Amino acid sequence: MKKILLTTFAILVASIGFAQKKQANIMLEAPGVQVVDYDHATLGIERVFPMGYEKLAKAQLERQKSARVGKTAKAQVIFIYENAIPQSVKDVFEKAGSVWGEALNSDVPIRILIRWASQANGVLGAAGATFRYANFPGAARANTWYGVALAEKMAHKNLNGDNPDIVATFNSNRTDWYIGTDAVPTRLQYDLYSVILHEYGHGLGFQGGIGTGTDAQGVDIAGYSFPYILDSYLVGATGQSIVDTNVIKNPSAELFKAVTNAALYMNPPTAVKSNKGANPRMYAPAKFQGGSSIYHVDQRTYPIGDPNALMTPQIAPGELTRDLGNITLDAFGDFGWKSTSIVHDPYNDTEDVSKPYDFSAKILSDTTVNAGSLKLFLTTDTTIKVKDIKEVALTKKADGSFVYTLPQDSKDRVIRYFWTGLDASGKKLSTPAQAPEVLSYRFVLGRDKIAPTLNSFLNNIFQIYSTDKSIALPEGTTFDNIGIDTIYVEYSINGVAQKSFGLKKSGATGLVRFNGGFEFPDGLLKGGEKVSYRIVIKDKAKIANVTYSPKEGTYDFSVLKLLAPVNTYFSDFNGGANDTSKGDFFTKGFGVTQPSNFKDGGMHSDHPYKDGTEELYPGSTTDTYTNTYFQLLKPIVLRADTAKIYFDEVVLVEPGDAGSVFGERNFFDYVVVEGSTDGGKSWKPFQDGWDSKGNTLWERAWLAANVDKDGNSKTVGSATQLAPREIDMLKSGDFKAGDRVSLRFRLLADVGAHGWGWVVDNLNVQGPTGKKPVVVNPPNPVTVANELEENINVAVSPNPSTNGEFVINAKFQKAVGKVQLSVRNMAGMEIGSQAFENIGREFNQVLDLSARPTGVYFLSVNTSEGSIVKKVMFLK
């Protein structure tokens, strides 16, 4: 009998923190659960069907039918279907949603995005919360993450607009689904209904933030940012919380030990009571199982047929697990699905001191409301400690809210306050959570001294032409606590100040977008000028706070003037009679130099060149690149017979994915020679760009034992790697004889993985070909520590992905026992890791980054045979 392991491959954003005056902390959370096909021995636990299982299964069906008679959903579930789905499958999705909707209570609809899509053969599906929140009004614990559906229930407020609260993807390729709700699957079928119920359970609250890795000494450790609400109830055998940093440091080897110990439990009080007074046991094998450990109930304790088996890490074909289970439901109630909240809208900073301010709140509860217990503690005296703030009198309104009015005062004041109350049982409530010991609300009423924050602006102007009149600036975004007043550009030409001009802005408060550009009068630019500018952003404060971009200095660009056209051009870049480069080129990131590994000068890029940061790929907000180049300022009049460019080069730039071609996003860094017939306004390649795969010597040099963990090559270029290049300027069909064509040599670097760069030497454009091409003697073979390309073949597709899902296919020359996958962001921070056992010679897995920000990530595939780093791109 095969079994299915329900695993969590959680990709977590690692930044943390909170602002006391803000309404909530928001963090994007990736879909957290995958169901993957494993063989019997993976966990050493067989999903054994007990005697009389069919009777137990039929009893489950009867309980479901009777439980739903006359019931209406307490929480509305809204389904969003991303693609075409058979009605029979929709019925199962919606039936499972209605079961959870009847079990939970929320006055904010739960929105679930459903994807019925092709996935790898071993995958059943995945689901998880799309956002997570901390320190929102209504939260029961401070500095604790809640999935968005639960956070909205406790806040009694929609927190993420029309965005889905849960994303669920299930494999449409499988032929062994049982698709139905009223019968028992055969022993060869996986029950889609059971799997969906399990996955929804993760998105609704059965999730956490503890991840594992190693420290600098290679010791296994575990850690987290804020704990999730489930994490806060995890305890060891003695009942000690594993997220109490007074006992267990975060991160630490001790925490790793706590989550790889069979004695891991949770202790939500109501769940403990329903478990006959015992803490429910969690799944925590001695060998950490990424995606299964911690965030499932124990496999042995709750076997097939047990009413609490739904949230175990495995499901077997033929298994029916449709009972939500008292342990899960009661734990969810303690997490906050059955709760009492103080609901309040905090103020932001304001300079308006001309009016009184009302502070309003009410108590909302799933049980009896003790509204009269509501109290407000408030002070404008900054010398008073928060714990000593005094209570103020409240007035009850007809809508059940209680209000305090802060009298108008022309003085600047810092307002600090918090609310407290009691639920029907007498339990203390507060907002913000755990006030005043941990948090309190705070805002400034009076003069604003906080400057605007520049969220994004990428300068991408480095040169223009003397004939240009209108130059558009890239769009930017800025934020201010009280609002943006004006945004404008200060600039100078050759150090002489010019009249400033304003930029258009959209959005009156909060995040504001801005755009605009230069308008140069006729005759102002002659060529050779340097234009310097900066962006000035002023807020709405009476005494404006100002932010500049850049923070210091200016952005600069050059005004170019094309020289007289020529029929031929040659330069050896050596500084002698054959070096005509001085004054003939505009360069960015290039220069004529002679590194120690070369016998003479050449046009060299920076060594190493930098990762791309300056421009955004179309449709992306995070995926950036940089162009460096050198441009010949003398246009070439193309010949009809030999319109050729000859040069010698070394290209050590990051190669693209296997099978990628020039023009695709996964053809990563590259070099290319381009032409322009409109004075440099638009460029077209003479031939496809190329990378280090363009020459065997370069490819070997790139890979030769000098690729670091980020995929950067440390190999240094040398004269022994020079190779000739010939380009036919007419072959593409974009240019014809007689055209006056500007030439540009361009290196594109994307956001991740760089190398030594590019050198061009002995440039000959349409000149005589008497110069002998460089003859390269192959160097001695380079010994590589692990011949990874021979032992491991890893393909990732699609790459780029437009929906955030990547299918990983790895093939090995020798059978491997373990594969460790890890994912890092561009900051080098590991954001997810998972180990897989008993692999053999082929491995398939789906990586789901759909709820992560678009951009570039690094996927590491590690085995005993070696490691390979793959760059994967999520581009919407």
Side-chain angles (χ1 to χ4, degrees):
M1 178 203 329
K2 270 199 168 183
K3 62 190 176 184
I4 288 291
L5 182 64
L6 305 170
T7 70
T8 303
F9 190 55
I11 309 298
L12 304 179
V13 183
S15 59
I16 63 173
F18 60 89
Q20 291 181 337
K21 67 185 179 182
K22 297 298 180 185
Q23 195 171 30
N25 275 327
I26 304 171
M27 184 169 285
L28 196 63
E29 169 70 1
V33 183
Q34 289 191 347
V35 190
V36 183
D37 195 356
Y38 275 63
D39 64 18
H40 282 61
T42 304
L43 300 181
I45 304 168
E46 183 59 71
R47 293 295 279 168
V48 178
F49 288 90
M51 293 293 292
Y53 169 72
E54 285 72 13
K55 185 177 180 180
L56 291 173
K58 290 178 181 178
Q60 279 199 61
L61 297 179
E62 291 304 315
R63 283 197 298 273
Q64 293 163 19
K65 291 176 183 177
S66 62
R68 291 197 291 271
V69 174
K71 292 284 186 178
T72 57
K74 299 175 185 176
Q76 181 187 8
V77 181
I78 297 174
F79 293 89
I80 307 160
Y81 294 104
E82 187 174 81
N83 50 1
I85 299 176
Q87 187 60 48
S88 60
V89 177
K90 285 185 178 181
D91 290 343
V92 182
F93 285 131
E94 293 174 11
K95 181 68 75 173
S98 71
V99 169
W100 278 112
E102 290 158 8
L104 305 176
N105 186 27
S106 178
D107 51 16
V108 181
I110 300 168
R111 300 171 63 86
I112 303 178
L113 174 64
I114 300 292
R115 295 169 177 161
W116 182 246
S118 174
Q119 293 186 284
N121 291 336
V123 175
L124 291 181
T130 55
F131 295 86
R132 59 182 181 179
Y133 291 78
N135 302 328
F136 54 90
R141 296 190 184 222
N143 304 336
T144 300
W145 292 123
Y146 294 81
V148 58
L150 176 54
E152 289 181 334
K153 181 268 180 302
M154 300 176 74
H156 295 269
K157 184 177 183 179
N158 186 331
L159 299 176
N160 67 338
D162 292 333
N163 291 302
D165 305 320
I166 297 170
V167 174
T169 304
F170 296 88
N171 194 347
S172 61
N173 281 350
R174 296 195 71 97
T175 59
D176 54 358
W177 285 122
Y178 169 67
I179 299 174
T181 61
D182 298 319
V184 179
T186 71
R187 296 293 178 91
L188 298 176
Q189 293 176 307
Y190 291 103
D191 186 42
L192 177 63
Y193 190 9
S194 298
V195 173
I196 293 171
L197 284 173
H198 175 102
E199 303 300 351
Y200 288 176
H202 283 293
L204 292 166
F206 226 90
Q207 59 187 343
I210 298 175
T212 64
T214 56
D215 63 13
Q217 287 72 43
V219 176
D220 289 329
I221 59 171
Y224 52 90
S225 54
F226 288 166
Y228 275 69
I229 184 61
L230 172 54
D231 295 327
S232 68
Y233 285 110
L234 293 176
V235 296
T238 63
Q240 175 60 53
S241 169
I242 71 167
V243 294
D244 182 347
T245 54
N246 293 317
V247 178
I248 300 178
K249 293 182 179 180
N250 171 38
S252 68
E254 290 76 14
L255 182 58
F256 182 85
K257 184 177 179 180
V259 298
T260 52
N261 185 328
L264 180 68
Y265 303 85
M266 65 173 173
N267 68 349
T270 313
V272 171
K273 184 178 180 180
S274 68
N275 197 41
K276 300 179 180 179
N279 291 339
R281 186 187 291 269
M282 307 300 286
Y283 181 68
K287 189 170 186 179
F288 187 84
Q289 297 285 342
S292 296
S293 290
I294 312 175
Y295 303 115
H296 293 89
V297 295
D298 185 62
Q299 186 78 9
R300 292 185 187 275
T301 308
Y302 310 102
I304 288 178
D306 190 281
N308 293 297
L310 179 67
M311 297 312 296
T312 58
Q314 292 179 315
I315 187 172
E319 181 178 354
L320 198 72
T321 55
R322 297 180 179 178
D323 283 323
L324 300 184
N326 289 335
I327 288 176
T328 296
L329 288 176
D330 289 337
F332 273 24
D334 291 332
F335 294 170
W337 283 107
K338 188 175 182 181
S339 59
T340 302
S341 303
I342 299 175
V343 179
H344 165 68
D345 286 328
Y347 282 111
N348 289 322
D349 295 352
T350 178
E351 288 195 309
D352 186 358
V353 296
S354 64
K355 62 183 182 182
Y357 282 85
D358 288 340
F359 293 77
S360 175
K362 63 173 63 175
I363 297 180
L364 299 179
S365 178
D366 295 313
T367 58
T368 304
V369 176
N370 189 351
S373 67
L374 192 61
K375 296 179 179 180
L376 173 63
F377 296 81
L378 181 146
T379 185
T380 61
D381 186 344
T382 57
T383 65
I384 295 177
K385 294 181 179 180
V386 173
K387 66 181 180 64
D388 297 324
I389 296 176
K390 301 298 183 183
E391 180 183 356
V392 296
L394 298 174
T395 301
K396 186 177 181 179
K397 299 295 185 180
D399 64 355
S401 64
F402 288 79
V403 178
Y404 166 73
T405 300
L406 179 71
Q408 183 270 338
D409 194 321
S410 60
K411 297 178 183 177
D412 290 353
R413 291 177 287 176
V414 176
I415 315 300
R416 293 179 297 154
Y417 68 99
F418 59 90
W419 298 85
T420 68
L422 301 173
D423 68 8
S425 67
K427 179 183 176 181
K428 181 183 175 181
L429 307 171
S430 66
T431 191
Q434 295 175 255
E437 292 84 1
V438 180
L439 299 176
S440 66
Y441 291 118
R442 177 187 182 278
F443 73 98
V444 176
L445 185 56
R447 181 184 171 187
D448 175 56
K449 299 179 182 180
I450 302 174
T453 300
L454 183 68
N455 285 31
S456 67
F457 178 77
L458 291 175
N459 173 60
N460 61 5
I461 305 172
F462 305 100
Q463 90 287 323
I464 64 171
Y465 296 91
S466 57
T467 55
D468 289 332
K469 296 180 181 179
S470 298
I471 302 295
L473 287 167
E475 184 178 81
T477 60
T478 182
F479 173 86
D480 189 74
N481 59 318
I482 66 170
I484 300 295
D485 181 56
T486 56
I487 308 175
Y488 60 93
V489 173
E490 296 177 341
Y491 77 105
S492 64
I493 300 176
N494 288 340
V496 178
Q498 307 293 310
K499 184 179 180 180
S500 301
F501 61 89
L503 298 178
K504 296 178 182 178
K505 59 187 180 73
S506 57
T509 59
L511 191 69
V512 172
R513 297 182 181 277
F514 61 87
N515 57 61
F518 293 89
E519 295 291 337
F520 295 110
D522 287 338
L524 177 64
L525 303 178
K526 307 295 184 183
E529 294 93 345
K530 175 184 175 182
V531 179
S532 302
Y533 78 96
R534 67 176 180 177
I535 297 172
V536 184
I537 305 170
K538 293 185 177 181
D539 68 7
K540 291 183 177 180
K542 293 177 181 178
I543 302 176
N545 300 290
V546 183
T547 292
Y548 299 97
S549 181
K551 291 181 179 180
E552 297 180 356
T554 57
Y555 300 114
D556 303 318
F557 58 88
S558 300
V559 181
L560 307 183
K561 182 175 182 180
L562 296 179
L563 305 176
V566 296
N567 294 318
T568 62
Y569 187 84
F570 178 81
S571 179
D572 62 8
F573 303 108
N574 288 333
N578 290 324
D579 181 2
T580 59
S581 62
K582 188 174 183 180
D584 288 351
F585 290 91
F586 171 76
T587 63
K588 174 180 177 282
F590 277 83
V592 176
T593 185
Q594 182 182 338
S596 59
N597 287 349
F598 289 82
K599 298 178 181 179
D600 55 19
M603 183 68 82
H604 286 259
S605 71
D606 291 341
H607 301 314
Y609 63 92
K610 298 178 178 63
D611 289 336
T613 60
E614 295 177 345
E615 302 184 58
L616 288 170
Y617 282 96
S620 175
T621 59
T622 57
D623 190 14
T624 55
Y625 64 91
T626 291
N627 281 314
T628 56
Y629 47 86
F630 61 100
Q631 177 185 338
L632 180 60
L633 297 178
K634 294 179 177 179
I636 301 295
V637 181
L638 296 189
R639 295 171 52 172
D641 50 356
T642 57
K644 302 287 185 69
I645 305 173
Y646 308 94
F647 56 90
D648 302 321
E649 64 175 344
V650 178
V651 179
L652 294 179
V653 304
E654 181 196 16
D657 271 348
S660 61
V661 297
F662 177 68
E664 296 179 345
R665 177 61 186 90
N666 58 336
F667 192 82
F668 301 131
D669 300 351
Y670 61 81
V671 300
V672 66
V673 181
E674 302 168 311
S676 172
T677 56
D678 59 6
K681 292 181 175 60
S682 62
W683 297 88
K684 295 180 179 179
F686 294 117
Q687 66 177 43
D688 286 352
W690 60 99
D691 55 28
S692 292
K693 290 183 178 179
N695 182 286
T696 302
L697 285 177
W698 306 338
E699 186 174 16
R700 287 178 181 173
W702 178 274
L703 295 172
N706 280 319
V707 178
D708 66 18
K709 64 181 179 64
D710 295 322
N712 302 317
S713 173
K714 297 182 180 180
T715 301
V716 175
S718 68
T720 61
Q721 298 161 340
L722 283 165
R725 172 75 58 177
E726 177 182 312
I727 293 177
D728 185 341
M729 292 183 281
L730 302 178
K731 189 174 181 178
S732 69
D734 291 322
F735 306 93
K736 64 182 185 299
D739 282 348
R740 297 184 177 188
V741 179
S742 298
L743 304 184
R744 183 171 75 170
F745 295 70
R746 177 169 64 91
L747 187 161
L748 180 140
D750 72 359
V751 288
H754 56 261
W756 180 80
W758 192 20
V759 59
V760 172
D761 198 4
N762 303 315
L763 176 61
N764 178 351
V765 185
Q766 292 192 151
T769 59
K771 185 181 183 307
K772 294 181 180 180
V774 173
V775 178
V776 179
N777 295 317
N780 293 328
V782 178
T783 300
V784 183
N786 284 315
E787 296 293 344
L788 300 182
E789 293 298 320
E790 296 180 6
N791 290 340
I792 304 176
N793 186 303
V794 177
V796 180
S797 65
N799 193 15
S801 168
T802 57
N803 65 2
E805 296 178 359
F806 304 84
V807 177
I808 305 165
N809 175 258
K811 296 180 180 179
F812 314 105
Q813 287 281 37
K814 301 176 183 178
V816 298
K818 177 180 178 180
V819 169
Q820 180 82 30
L821 298 182
S822 63
V823 179
R824 286 176 290 107
N825 59 21
M826 286 303 303
M829 182 177 297
E830 184 177 280
I831 56 175
S833 182
Q834 183 170 343
F836 302 86
E837 300 287 345
N838 303 317
I839 300 304
R841 296 182 62 177
E842 186 167 355
F843 171 72
N844 292 283
Q845 176 67 23
V846 172
L847 170 64
D848 191 335
L849 301 178
S850 59
R852 291 281 299 161
T854 57
V856 174
Y857 300 86
F858 293 100
L859 167 68
S860 296
V861 182
N862 306 298
T863 77
S864 58
E865 297 298 309
S867 303
I868 284 183
V869 177
K870 289 285 185 178
K871 181 163 59 178
V872 297
M873 292 168 292
F874 176 20
L875 306 178
K876 289 184 179 179

